Amino acid sequence: MHIDLDEAIKIYANVSRSRYGRKARKRLLETARALRARGDRHGAAVWERVAVEVDRVDAPPAKSGGREEARI
């Protein structure tokens, strides 16, 4: 089984949210800042993507603009 970077980011975002709760995004961005300070721009960019994914996972579901069709 091969997991690409996008899948790994989604998985780690879910794990981070479960482990750190509401502080997950802050912890992820701290890691990104530390990596960027050491010159690892690629690593920082990946951690920032994980933080964005945590926000996406936490976002409330979008409401539909129209009426819902009845499902049978």
Side-chain angles (χ1 to χ4, degrees):
M1 172 186 215
H2 176 73
I3 297 175
D4 67 15
L5 182 58
D6 291 333
E7 291 172 294
I9 287 170
K10 289 177 184 178
I11 291 167
Y12 201 78
N14 286 320
V15 168
S16 295
R17 182 66 169 122
S18 294
R19 183 171 184 186
Y20 301 115
R22 296 175 61 129
K23 295 181 182 182
R25 182 176 187 277
K26 180 181 176 184
R27 291 184 64 108
L28 294 165
L29 291 175
E30 287 171 354
T31 300
R33 278 191 286 275
L35 290 170
R36 195 171 300 283
R38 285 187 237 145
D40 184 358
R41 293 183 311 179
H42 178 71
V46 171
W47 284 96
E48 289 164 354
R49 285 178 60 192
V50 176
V52 168
E53 184 66 20
V54 165
D55 285 345
R56 191 192 68 71
V57 169
D58 287 344
K63 293 182 180 179
S64 62
R67 294 185 329 187
E68 300 265 338
E69 289 185 30
R71 304 236 188 252
I72 299 176

